[in-house]
Amino acid sequence: MNLALDQARKAHAMAEVPIGAVIVRQGEIIGVGFNQTISHCDPTAHAEIVAIRAAARYLGNHRLAGADMYVTIEPCTMCAGALVQARIARLIFAAPEPRAGAVTSSARVLENPGLNHRVEIESGPCQAEAAELMAGFFRVRR
């Protein structure tokens, strides 16, 4: 999670919403990412999507079976769907996102019985640090 926090700090330094993600498989980091929606003019360039794209390129496979994703903030609906499509085995997120979080907060996308893949969910490691990074970012911007 510390590497995901480092990625979030990179986003913050670029005036992007400070969210970072890291994908690990069999103890190896295979993808990292941070929010880049503004700098890339791409509404899909969330940290999770950037990390999934990097991991898929690294493996040469669109399926990331057996991989774990560490992310600083609870994923949105788009990113939760991408976890299923990529076949991420386990999601570990630091802090909940009460308004847009789609895993345990405002929606529970990964619990949809129609999905053909289940993602194991854990939350809480580095929660205070991730939440403060977000809160500090928005305090300055508002």
Side-chain angles (χ1 to χ4, degrees):
M1 190 61 75
N2 287 322
L3 183 53
L5 285 165
D6 289 343
Q7 292 294 305
R9 289 183 196 98
K10 287 181 183 180
H12 188 281
M14 295 176 60
E16 297 273 4
V17 175
I19 300 174
V22 175
I23 301 176
V24 177
R25 191 173 80 165
Q26 299 173 346
E28 179 183 13
I29 295 169
I30 60 171
V32 298
F34 58 88
N35 272 13
Q36 299 173 46
T37 59
I38 298 165
S39 59
H40 287 195
C41 296
D42 180 354
T44 69
H46 289 198
E48 300 93 329
I49 303 298
V50 173
I52 287 170
R53 289 174 179 160
R57 279 191 305 270
Y58 180 81
L59 294 178
N61 193 334
H62 68 288
R63 300 288 191 222
L64 307 177
D68 299 335
M69 175 181 281
Y70 295 81
V71 65
T72 57
I73 300 295
E74 178 184 0
C76 70
T77 303
M78 174 183 70
C79 293
L83 295 172
V84 172
Q85 294 303 314
R87 305 300 193 264
I88 296 289
R90 185 169 62 131
L91 165 68
I92 305 95
F93 69 89
E97 182 10 272
R99 286 186 276 193
V103 177
T104 62
S105 293
S106 69
R108 294 181 175 265
V109 170
L110 298 177
E111 294 177 12
N112 182 326
L115 295 176
N116 62 350
H117 175 72
R118 297 282 167 231
V119 178
E120 183 182 329
I121 304 162
E122 295 179 29
S123 64
C126 303
Q127 179 176 352
E129 190 172 356
E132 178 50 38
L133 191 57
M134 286 285 281
F137 175 81
F138 286 109
R139 263 194 308 271
V140 171
R141 296 189 61 102
R142 292 183 176 148

